[in-house]
Structures are given as structure tokens and as C-alpha cells.
Coordinates of all heavy atoms in Angstrom, one line a residue:
N57 N -7.1 -4.9 2.0 CA -6.4 -6.0 2.5 C -5.0 -6.1 1.7 O -4.0 -6.4 2.3 CB -7.1 -7.3 2.3 CG -6.4 -8.5 2.9 OD1 -5.9 -8.5 4.0 ND2 -6.4 -9.7 2.2
M58 N -5.1 -5.8 0.4 CA -3.8 -5.9 -0.5 C -2.8 -4.8 0.2 O -1.6 -5.2 0.2 CB -4.2 -5.5 -1.9 CG -3.0 -5.6 -2.8 SD -3.5 -5.4 -4.6 CE -4.2 -3.8 -4.6
M59 N -3.2 -3.7 0.5 CA -2.3 -2.8 1.0 C -1.7 -3.2 2.3 O -0.5 -3.0 2.6 CB -3.0 -1.3 1.1 CG -3.4 -0.7 -0.1 SD -2.1 -0.5 -1.3 CE -3.0 -0.1 -2.8
G60 N -2.5 -3.8 3.2 CA -2.0 -4.3 4.5 C -1.0 -5.4 4.3 O 0.1 -5.5 4.9
L61 N -1.3 -6.3 3.3 CA -0.4 -7.4 3.0 C 0.9 -6.9 2.5 O 2.0 -7.4 2.9 CB -1.0 -8.3 1.9 CG -2.2 -9.3 2.4 CD1 -2.9 -9.9 1.2 CD2 -1.7 -10.3 3.3
A62 N 0.8 -5.9 1.6 CA 2.1 -5.4 1.0 C 3.0 -4.7 2.0 O 4.2 -4.9 2.0 CB 1.6 -4.4 -0.1
A63 N 2.3 -4.0 3.0 CA 3.1 -3.3 4.0 C 3.8 -4.4 4.9 O 5.0 -4.2 5.2 CB 2.2 -2.4 4.9
G64 N 3.1 -5.5 5.2 CA 3.7 -6.5 6.0 C 4.8 -7.2 5.3 O 5.8 -7.6 5.9
M65 N 4.7 -7.4 4.0 CA 5.8 -8.1 3.3 C 7.1 -7.3 3.2 O 8.2 -7.9 3.1 CB 5.4 -8.3 1.7 CG 4.2 -9.4 1.6 SD 3.7 -9.6 -0.1 CE 2.5 -10.9 0.0
T66 N 7.0 -6.0 3.4 CA 8.3 -5.2 3.3 C 9.1 -5.5 4.6 O 10.4 -5.4 4.5 CB 8.0 -3.7 3.4 OG1 7.4 -3.3 4.5 CG2 7.1 -3.4 2.1
I67 N 8.5 -6.0 5.6 CA 9.2 -6.3 6.9 C 10.2 -7.4 6.7 O 11.3 -7.4 7.3 CB 8.3 -6.6 8.0 CG1 7.4 -5.4 8.3 CG2 9.1 -7.0 9.3 CD1 6.2 -5.7 9.3
G68 N 9.9 -8.3 5.7 CA 10.8 -9.4 5.4 C 11.7 -9.1 4.3 O 12.4 -10.0 3.8
G69 N 11.8 -7.8 3.9 CA 12.8 -7.5 2.8 C 12.2 -7.6 1.4 O 13.0 -7.3 0.4
K70 N 10.9 -7.9 1.3 CA 10.3 -8.0 -0.1 C 10.0 -6.5 -0.6 O 9.9 -5.6 0.2 CB 9.1 -8.8 -0.1 CG 9.2 -10.2 0.4 CD 10.3 -10.9 -0.5 CE 10.5 -12.4 0.0 NZ 11.6 -13.0 -0.8
I71 N 9.9 -6.4 -1.9 CA 9.5 -5.1 -2.5 C 8.2 -5.4 -3.3 O 8.2 -5.8 -4.4 CB 10.6 -4.7 -3.5 CG1 12.0 -4.6 -2.9 CG2 10.3 -3.3 -4.1 CD1 13.1 -4.3 -3.8
P72 N 7.1 -5.1 -2.5 CA 5.7 -5.4 -3.1 C 5.3 -4.2 -4.1 O 5.5 -3.1 -3.9 CB 4.8 -5.4 -1.9 CG 5.7 -5.2 -0.7 CD 7.0 -4.6 -1.2
F73 N 4.7 -4.8 -5.3 CA 4.2 -3.9 -6.4 C 2.7 -4.3 -6.3 O 2.4 -5.4 -6.7 CB 4.8 -4.2 -7.7 CG 6.1 -3.5 -7.9 CD1 7.2 -3.9 -7.2 CD2 6.1 -2.5 -8.9 CE1 8.4 -3.2 -7.5 CE2 7.4 -1.8 -9.1 CZ 8.5 -2.2 -8.4
T74 N 1.9 -3.4 -5.9 CA 0.4 -3.6 -5.9 C -0.2 -3.1 -7.2 O 0.3 -2.1 -7.8 CB -0.3 -2.9 -4.7 OG1 -0.2 -1.5 -4.9 CG2 0.4 -3.3 -3.4
G75 N -1.2 -3.8 -7.8 CA -1.8 -3.4 -9.0 C -3.3 -3.4 -9.0 O -3.9 -4.4 -8.7
T76 N -3.9 -2.2 -9.3 CA -5.4 -2.2 -9.5 C -5.6 -0.8 -10.2 O -4.7 0.0 -10.5 CB -6.2 -2.3 -8.3 OG1 -7.5 -2.4 -8.6 CG2 -5.9 -1.2 -7.2
F77 N -6.9 -0.5 -10.5 CA -7.2 0.8 -11.1 C -6.8 1.9 -10.1 O -6.9 1.8 -8.8 CB -8.6 0.9 -11.3 CG -9.2 0.1 -12.5 CD1 -8.3 -0.8 -13.2 CD2 -10.5 0.1 -12.9 CE1 -8.8 -1.6 -14.2 CE2 -10.9 -0.8 -14.0 CZ -10.1 -1.5 -14.6
A78 N -6.6 3.1 -10.6 CA -6.1 4.2 -9.8 C -7.2 4.7 -8.7 O -6.8 5.0 -7.6 CB -5.9 5.5 -10.7
N79 N -8.5 4.5 -9.1 CA -9.5 4.9 -8.1 C -9.5 4.0 -6.9 O -9.5 4.4 -5.7 CB -10.9 4.8 -8.8 CG -11.9 5.5 -8.0 OD1 -11.7 6.3 -7.2 ND2 -13.2 5.0 -8.2
F80 N -9.3 2.6 -7.2 CA -9.2 1.7 -6.1 C -7.8 1.6 -5.4 O -7.7 1.1 -4.4 CB -9.5 0.3 -6.7 CG -10.7 0.2 -7.5 CD1 -10.8 -0.7 -8.6 CD2 -11.8 1.0 -7.2 CE1 -11.9 -0.7 -9.4 CE2 -13.0 1.0 -8.0 CZ -13.0 0.1 -9.1
S81 N -6.8 2.2 -6.1 CA -5.4 2.2 -5.5 C -5.3 3.4 -4.5 O -4.3 3.4 -3.8 CB -4.4 2.4 -6.7 OG -4.3 1.3 -7.4
T82 N -6.2 4.3 -4.5 CA -6.0 5.6 -3.7 C -7.3 5.8 -2.9 O -7.3 5.6 -1.6 CB -5.7 6.7 -4.6 OG1 -6.8 7.0 -5.5 CG2 -4.4 6.6 -5.3
G83 N -8.3 6.3 -3.5 CA -9.5 6.7 -2.8 C -10.1 5.6 -1.9 O -10.4 5.8 -0.7
R84 N -10.2 4.4 -2.5 CA -10.8 3.3 -1.7 C -10.0 2.9 -0.5 O -10.5 2.3 0.5 CB -11.1 2.1 -2.7 CG -11.7 0.8 -2.0 CD -12.1 -0.2 -3.0 NE -13.2 0.2 -3.8 CZ -13.8 -0.6 -4.7 NH1 -13.3 -1.8 -4.9 NH2 -14.8 -0.2 -5.4
V85 N -8.7 3.1 -0.5 CA -7.8 2.5 0.4 C -6.9 3.5 1.1 O -5.8 3.2 1.6 CB -6.9 1.3 -0.2 CG1 -7.7 0.2 -0.6 CG2 -6.1 1.9 -1.4
Y86 N -7.4 4.8 1.2 CA -6.6 5.8 1.6 C -6.2 5.6 3.1 O -5.0 5.9 3.4 CB -7.3 7.2 1.4 CG -6.4 8.4 1.5 CD1 -5.5 8.7 0.5 CD2 -6.4 9.2 2.6 CE1 -4.6 9.7 0.6 CE2 -5.6 10.3 2.6 CZ -4.7 10.6 1.6 OH -3.8 11.7 1.7
D87 N -7.0 5.2 3.9 CA -6.7 4.9 5.3 C -5.6 4.0 5.4 O -4.6 4.1 6.2 CB -7.9 4.5 6.1 CG -7.6 4.3 7.5 OD1 -7.2 5.3 8.2 OD2 -7.8 3.2 8.1
Q88 N -5.7 2.8 4.7 CA -4.7 1.8 4.8 C -3.3 2.3 4.3 O -2.3 2.0 4.9 CB -5.1 0.6 4.0 CG -6.2 -0.3 4.7 CD -7.5 0.4 4.7 OE1 -7.8 1.2 3.8 NE2 -8.4 0.1 5.6
I89 N -3.3 3.1 3.2 CA -2.1 3.7 2.7 C -1.5 4.6 3.7 O -0.3 4.6 4.0 CB -2.3 4.4 1.4 CG1 -2.7 3.4 0.2 CG2 -1.1 5.1 0.9 CD1 -3.1 4.0 -1.1
R90 N -2.3 5.5 4.3 CA -1.8 6.5 5.3 C -1.2 5.8 6.5 O -0.1 6.2 6.9 CB -3.0 7.4 5.6 CG -2.5 8.6 6.6 CD -3.7 9.4 7.0 NE -3.2 10.5 7.8 CZ -2.9 10.6 9.1 NH1 -3.0 9.4 9.8 NH2 -2.5 11.7 9.6
Q91 N -2.0 4.8 7.0 CA -1.5 4.4 8.3 C -0.4 3.2 8.1 O 0.6 3.3 8.8 CB -2.7 3.7 9.0 CG -3.9 4.7 9.2 CD -3.6 5.8 10.1 OE1 -2.8 6.7 9.7 NE2 -4.3 5.9 11.2
S92 N -0.6 2.3 7.2 CA 0.2 1.1 7.2 C 1.4 1.3 6.3 O 2.4 0.7 6.4 CB -0.5 -0.1 6.7 OG -1.6 -0.4 7.5
I93 N 1.3 2.3 5.3 CA 2.4 2.4 4.3 C 3.1 3.8 4.5 O 4.3 3.7 4.7 CB 1.9 2.2 2.9 CG1 1.3 0.8 2.6 CG2 3.0 2.6 1.9 CD1 0.7 0.6 1.3
A94 N 2.4 4.8 4.4 CA 3.1 6.2 4.5 C 3.6 6.5 5.9 O 4.8 6.7 6.0 CB 2.1 7.3 4.0
Y95 N 2.8 6.3 6.8 CA 3.2 6.7 8.2 C 4.3 5.8 8.7 O 5.2 6.2 9.3 CB 1.9 6.6 9.1 CG 2.3 6.8 10.6 CD1 2.7 8.0 11.1 CD2 2.2 5.7 11.5 CE1 3.0 8.2 12.4 CE2 2.5 5.9 12.9 CZ 2.9 7.2 13.3 OH 3.2 7.3 14.6
S96 N 4.2 4.5 8.2 CA 5.2 3.6 8.6 C 6.4 3.5 7.7 O 7.4 2.8 7.9 CB 4.6 2.1 8.7 OG 3.5 2.1 9.6
H97 N 6.3 4.4 6.6 CA 7.4 4.5 5.6 C 7.8 3.1 5.1 O 9.0 2.7 5.1 CB 8.7 5.2 6.1 CG 9.5 5.7 5.0 ND1 9.1 6.8 4.2 CD2 10.8 5.3 4.6 CE1 10.1 7.0 3.3 NE2 11.1 6.1 3.6
K98 N 6.8 2.3 4.6 CA 7.1 1.0 4.1 C 7.4 1.1 2.6 O 6.9 1.9 1.8 CB 5.9 0.1 4.2 CG 5.4 -0.2 5.7 CD 6.6 -0.8 6.5 CE 6.1 -1.2 7.9 NZ 7.3 -1.4 8.8
N99 N 8.3 0.1 2.2 CA 8.8 0.2 0.8 C 7.8 -0.5 -0.1 O 8.1 -1.5 -0.8 CB 10.1 -0.5 0.7 CG 10.9 -0.3 -0.6 OD1 10.7 0.8 -1.1 ND2 11.7 -1.3 -0.9
V100 N 6.6 0.1 -0.3 CA 5.6 -0.5 -1.1 C 5.5 0.4 -2.4 O 5.5 1.7 -2.3 CB 4.2 -0.5 -0.4 CG1 3.1 -0.9 -1.3 CG2 4.3 -1.4 0.8
K101 N 5.3 -0.2 -3.5 CA 5.1 0.5 -4.8 C 3.6 0.4 -5.2 O 3.2 -0.7 -5.6 CB 6.1 0.0 -5.9 CG 7.5 -0.3 -5.4 CD 8.1 0.9 -4.8 CE 9.4 0.5 -4.1 NZ 10.0 1.6 -3.4
I102 N 2.9 1.4 -5.1 CA 1.4 1.4 -5.4 C 1.3 1.8 -6.9 O 1.5 3.0 -7.3 CB 0.7 2.4 -4.5 CG1 1.0 2.1 -3.0 CG2 -0.8 2.5 -4.9 CD1 0.5 3.3 -2.1
C103 N 0.9 0.8 -7.8 CA 0.9 1.0 -9.2 C -0.5 1.0 -9.7 O -1.3 0.0 -9.5 CB 1.8 -0.1 -9.8 SG 3.5 -0.2 -9.2
A104 N -0.9 2.1 -10.3 CA -2.3 2.4 -10.6 C -2.5 2.7 -12.1 O -2.0 3.6 -12.6 CB -2.7 3.6 -9.8

């Protein structure tokens, strides 16, 4: 949910920095990062 929220916030010009452990920042949320952030080229900073 955090990754989806972050992706949405970029639409309004915000620069979201997400924070959690590296395992939860990538493996747990890979689908959300791929679809909502990378594919959509959203300005999200995934900090792990």
C-alpha cells in the first residue's frame, strides 16, 4: 500500500521517500514497484 500511495502522490508534484527494510522495500512489493512506479516512471525514492 505504501508503494501505491507514493506513486499516487507524485501526480500532485510531491517527491515521496518511502522507508522500510530492504527486504520489504523490494521482494515483498516487487509487483507494486514494477507496475505503479517503474512502468509508470513515477518520481518515487525507495529508501531501504
